[in-house]
Amino acid sequence: MAKVSILVILLFSFIPMKSHCIVVHSDEDQQRKCTPSKSYSFSIDPEVLAEYPEIVIRINFWGINKDNGESEDPLTEEKVMEALGLLNSAYADMNICFELNEFEHINNSTAYWGSTKDFSKFLRDYKDEYVKDDALNIFVPYRFTNFDDGLRGVNFGYNKLAVNMLNYNTGILPHEVGHSFRLIHTHQRFKSERCEKVTRDPDNPEFNAKCAGDYVVDTNAVPSMYGSEGNNITDDCKYTGNAKDCDGTPYNITEDDVRNFMAYTKQSCRSRFTVGQGIRVRETIELQDFYQKMIVDSKK
């Protein structure tokens, strides 16, 4: 029996025991968790953006009417050219130009004034007829029923989006086109525990602008500044809130942040992209083959 007891003791002595030690990760360890995508340079150099050659992207505009062809506010060629002018102005610093390829009307009462769910189904049902792969397709329904008709625009993928007739010539159009080029909201995931931190010092262990928020370094970390989170923007585009990031650091919000096309801000304030956003758009276009189909061949 003594031998058995000794054997049992020896066996238990080799069983690995669960550690109860608390491991405290250093700031350096925390920083290593931020692993930026190798597909992007994260450059914010104006000279880099200026070196990109001009490209021309085809656009198809689709005005949506009722089944009987009528509309309370029809999309006209004059309005289409106004929208093109807005886009060409917004994307000029990226050396991106937009050219009208097609302008047609669609008679469909559900798409004319319905929910985004209904509109998404409409796009799926008529994909072969109205969603052309060789152009960016912009649909202009009269209204969306979501949120008491307040929804202004929706992006449905890299080559299709919709803005209602109230916003064919407002900052929501460059905003939704920005989504088509994979730009995201400047306040993305601001409520998350892994929110974008305020610091813009790359040597600061808290710096995570390359792998949090909108992944663009020259847009400050920001919250949603307007809408469901509160209306913190003045008529002259100043931020009046006192929000803090997920670590409790007050946001450093400038007028440029308030005026960014990809921010949740007052509609009249949306008027600019940053250099970093522009470079990210051009790198995205180079990375994905399906964008190349939209580019007008300069030889033609």
Side-chain angles (χ1 to χ4, degrees):
M1 291 295 295
K3 291 183 178 180
V4 174
S5 299
I6 293 172
L7 180 60
V8 171
I9 292 172
L10 288 173
L11 285 173
F12 271 97
S13 68
F14 285 98
I15 294 176
M17 301 299 290
K18 183 177 180 181
S19 173
H20 292 281
C21 296
I22 298 174
V23 179
V24 179
H25 295 285
S26 67
D27 288 339
E28 185 178 354
D29 290 331
Q30 290 294 111
Q31 179 67 3
R32 279 200 292 264
K33 290 181 180 179
C34 176
T35 307
S37 169
K38 295 180 180 179
S39 299
Y40 293 95
S41 68
F42 300 96
S43 173
I44 57 174
D45 186 345
E47 293 184 5
V48 171
L49 183 58
E51 288 176 357
Y52 280 99
E54 181 181 272
I55 56 174
V56 180
I57 294 179
R58 301 181 194 89
I59 285 192
N60 294 338
F61 270 94
W62 304 92
I64 312 295
N65 301 325
K66 299 175 184 178
D67 288 339
N68 61 7
E70 296 180 354
S71 172
E72 296 169 62
D73 187 7
L75 184 66
T76 64
E77 186 172 352
E78 182 180 4
K79 292 175 180 176
V80 166
M81 299 312 295
E82 188 180 352
L84 275 176
L86 171 61
L87 287 176
N88 282 328
S89 175
Y91 287 84
D93 290 343
M94 303 182 197
N95 292 326
I96 296 176
C97 188
F98 297 90
E99 178 180 281
L100 182 62
N101 185 55
E102 291 184 41
F103 168 41
E104 302 288 345
H105 283 95
I106 301 168
N107 298 334
N108 186 298
S109 292
T110 301
Y112 173 79
W113 195 343
S115 69
T116 52
K117 181 179 179 181
D118 291 336
F119 202 94
S120 180
K121 182 178 185 303
F122 158 76
L123 290 179
R124 292 194 303 272
D125 291 345
Y126 294 95
K127 180 180 184 299
D128 294 338
E129 190 170 352
Y130 300 130
V131 181
K132 311 297 184 179
D133 288 336
D134 64 346
L136 178 60
N137 299 274
I138 299 178
F139 297 86
V140 188
Y142 178 66
R143 297 286 190 275
F144 293 107
T145 57
N146 307 55
F147 311 120
D148 297 324
D149 307 333
L151 188 66
R152 298 172 291 189
V154 186
N155 186 276
F156 294 97
Y158 74 92
N159 68 343
K160 51 187 178 295
L161 61 96
V163 294
N164 67 21
M165 276 303 305
L166 293 173
N167 292 280
Y168 76 89
N169 63 347
T170 73
I172 195 64
L173 179 59
H175 176 101
E176 297 302 339
V177 171
H179 283 317
S180 290
F181 295 135
R182 304 294 175 84
L183 291 180
I184 56 180
H185 298 134
T186 54
H187 62 275
Q188 195 77 7
R189 294 178 293 275
F190 75 99
K191 289 185 174 181
S192 166
E193 291 181 359
R194 301 189 66 180
C195 72
E196 182 178 6
K197 305 300 175 62
V198 170
T199 181
R200 283 301 181 269
D201 177 4
D203 294 325
N204 187 319
E206 294 299 317
F207 176 75
N208 67 347
K210 293 182 179 180
C211 52
D214 62 351
Y215 312 120
V216 177
V217 177
D218 63 354
T219 59
N220 282 321
V222 296
S224 175
M225 297 177 282
Y226 197 78
S228 61
E229 298 298 321
N231 300 330
N232 297 308
I233 306 299
T234 64
D235 289 340
D236 58 347
C237 303
K238 300 293 193 302
Y239 177 70
T240 61
N242 56 2
K244 300 176 182 179
D245 72 11
C246 53
D247 278 349
T249 303
Y251 286 110
N252 177 29
I253 298 174
T254 68
E255 186 175 334
D256 281 342
D257 298 315
V258 174
R259 291 187 178 277
N260 196 282
F261 279 119
M262 302 311 295
Y264 268 15
T265 182
K266 185 170 287 190
Q267 183 57 33
S268 59
C269 293
R270 281 181 171 144
S271 60
R272 63 193 62 163
F273 290 109
T274 67
V275 170
Q277 286 174 315
I279 293 172
R280 190 173 182 87
V281 165
R282 292 306 302 258
E283 290 176 345
T284 295
I285 292 172
E286 289 184 344
L287 284 169
Q288 302 294 342
D289 290 340
F290 44 71
Y291 291 114
Q292 307 307 313
K293 298 178 182 179
M294 303 180 188
I295 299 175
V296 176
D297 189 342
S298 60
K299 296 179 181 179
K300 296 180 182 179

